Amino acid sequence: MPALPEPPPGDDTTPPGQGLAVAAESLYLINLLLLPGLGFLLLLGLYFRCRSSASPLALVHLRQTVSASLWAGALLIVANLLIIALGGYDSGWTWVVVILYFTTAHTTLIVLGIVGLARALAGQAFRYPLVGNLLP
């Protein structure tokens, strides 16, 4: 990840790409919380449209949000496969897996998105721990 220069104290100028970084983080949270699927498609569209011309700040946030969204989808697939392996959706284990998934994986991804949005609003780069390095 390229090092981004810190703005001098009292400098109220908006860093280049801050709006795009905020949009990426917002679409990531929309994908997780409000409109799954549609938020992801909008995020992918934004990524493919802007990745070649985005500033370093925006590119860091775009890559992190797309990578984390792919991880979120993979974790959801793993949770469903685990439910099927433990007896299907009629089994008592279904709720154990669902509750564990939402209290651990999903909540962690949401918290990462909130921190990422706060950093984007501050004009700072952010790398999601563990799930943020999927894309080159």
Side-chain angles (χ1 to χ4, degrees), residues 67-83:
S67 177
S69 292
L70 292 172
W71 273 105
L75 289 171
L76 192 57
I77 290 170
V78 167
N80 279 292
L81 291 174
L82 190 58
I83 288 171

Side-chain angles (χ1 to χ4, degrees), residues 2-3 28-29 33 42 49 54 67 72 74 84-85 87 93 101 104 106 111 116 136:
Y28 171 72
L29 288 171
L33 297 171
L42 291 172
R49 186 168 48 93
S67 177
I84 291 169
W93 287 103
Y101 170 77
T104 57
H106 194 75
V111 169

Side-chain angles (χ1 to χ4, degrees), residues 50-89:
C50 299
R51 69 179 170 176
S52 60
S53 63
S55 70
L57 174 67
L59 193 56
V60 165
H61 284 276
L62 277 170
R63 285 182 177 162
Q64 299 310 300
T65 54
V66 171
S67 177
S69 292
L70 292 172
W71 273 105
L75 289 171
L76 192 57
I77 290 170
V78 167
N80 279 292
L81 291 174
L82 190 58
I83 288 171
I84 291 169
L86 291 174
Y89 289 97

